[in-house]
Amino acid sequence: MRNYYFIAAIVGLLLMGCSVNNDEMSFNNDQIKTVNSVWEVDGCESMIYEFHSSLGEFIITNDNDNLYLNFLANDGFLIYDIRWEAMPSEADLPINANGINSSRLDQRDKFDSGIAYHGETVPISDFGVDPGYVIVAAEVILKNSLDQKFTAWVGNESDFRNGSNYLVYDICDPSSDPICEANAGSDNSRTYTFSEVDALVNDLGDIEALYKTLLDEGVSRDGTFSPTGLELLRAFNRNPYRGFTTVYTVSNDVGGVKCTDSTELTITVTPD
């Protein structure tokens, strides 16, 4: 995982509540707008949750100062209305006989033309001194290109009659939650004539050195090859005039967590 600010979103895993109604409204590609937000920060993993089956995702993370809430509609959907609130504890939830009352949530964002992505930033100091967790309740209204209206709740806590849910998010301490990072760069290839390869490669070490010239700048040269240099050399001796591809893998270990990343490197040999 790379540690910087993104203006994008990714796929989530947990289910939400959802109801469907028809509306006589439509939208086109010109109405799809994007609002910048943060879903990945140095030192803290993002938590990702799905709006029901395929409507969109809610992504939440924090740094030392702020909590970042991100709402993303999947392709074919737009967000029109979000009622939400982040609060210190479950006792602050506006609950009635049926469940969470969305009209009593403190914040609301409406988008007349619909929007693909919306982000909110909340100071962590709003939740007291060194809060261990926060509660997020959010009702999201989306529409698709068939003019159908969908209501989805963020979170997987509770089983209220009105289908409402909420999310308990544990505040991350960026200084104590290091991120394991590995980057092998992009796939690369190069073509040589037989005589060029013959001049460059005299032993096994020369094979690996030749492939390492294909690596992007800044990529560690301490990775491994599969097939290995010896296997590549044997394949070359059997049939030299073709492409020879190897998977180069780099790894890193942070806090007992091992992460890896790989790239494909290809050298093609042609007759002189």
Side-chain angles (χ1 to χ4, degrees), residues 67-269:
L67 183 71
Y68 301 101
L69 314 178
N70 304 277
F71 303 87
L72 170 72
N74 281 348
D75 290 343
F77 297 90
L78 292 177
I79 298 170
Y80 281 83
D81 195 355
I82 306 172
R83 293 178 181 266
W84 65 277
E85 185 176 348
M87 58 204 81
S89 71
E90 292 93 332
D92 299 304
L93 287 165
I95 297 174
N96 57 27
N98 292 317
I100 300 173
N101 184 350
S102 62
S103 66
R104 292 177 54 200
L105 296 174
D106 282 350
Q107 308 296 326
R108 185 176 189 182
D109 299 289
K110 295 190 68 175
F111 312 98
D112 292 338
S113 298
I115 196 166
Y117 183 44
H118 181 69
E120 294 284 349
T121 300
V122 183
I124 292 179
S125 58
D126 287 359
F127 309 105
V129 179
D130 296 327
Y133 68 94
V134 296
I135 304 299
V136 178
E139 181 189 58
V140 186
I141 308 298
L142 308 95
K143 294 178 183 177
N144 65 11
S145 57
L146 299 177
D147 301 332
Q148 292 176 305
K149 177 180 176 181
F150 298 80
T151 301
W153 282 86
V154 164
N156 61 329
E157 298 288 341
S158 81
D159 186 22
F160 296 123
R161 284 188 290 175
N162 64 357
S164 59
N165 291 292
Y166 64 93
L167 172 68
V168 179
Y169 173 72
D170 292 326
I171 296 291
C172 165
D173 180 357
S175 64
S176 63
D177 190 12
I179 296 299
C180 185
E181 190 176 58
N183 178 24
S186 56
D187 296 345
N188 289 303
S189 63
R190 188 173 298 158
T191 299
Y192 292 94
T193 64
F194 179 88
S195 60
E196 288 174 329
V197 172
D198 190 49
L200 290 169
V201 178
N202 295 307
D203 56 34
L204 181 60
D206 290 340
I207 286 281
E208 294 187 352
L210 185 60
Y211 274 90
K212 287 179 181 179
T213 64
L214 302 182
L215 293 172
D216 291 343
E217 183 178 353
V219 172
S220 170
R221 266 53 180 174
D222 296 326
T224 60
F225 294 91
S226 180
T228 65
L230 180 59
E231 291 168 331
L232 290 166
L233 187 58
R234 288 172 175 169
F236 174 79
N237 289 331
R238 288 195 300 269
N239 178 11
Y241 302 123
R242 55 194 176 101
F244 299 87
T245 298
T246 185
V247 176
Y248 182 78
T249 300
V250 295
S251 61
N252 193 17
D253 191 310
V254 176
V257 177
K258 184 176 182 179
C259 57
T260 63
D261 190 34
S262 299
T263 187
E264 287 191 353
L265 305 176
T266 301
I267 288 179
T268 300
V269 181

Side-chain angles (χ1 to χ4, degrees), residues 47-59:
M47 301 299 294
I48 309 156
Y49 300 90
E50 190 179 32
F51 297 159
H52 200 256
S53 56
S54 60
L55 301 178
E57 290 84 45
F58 174 74
I59 305 164

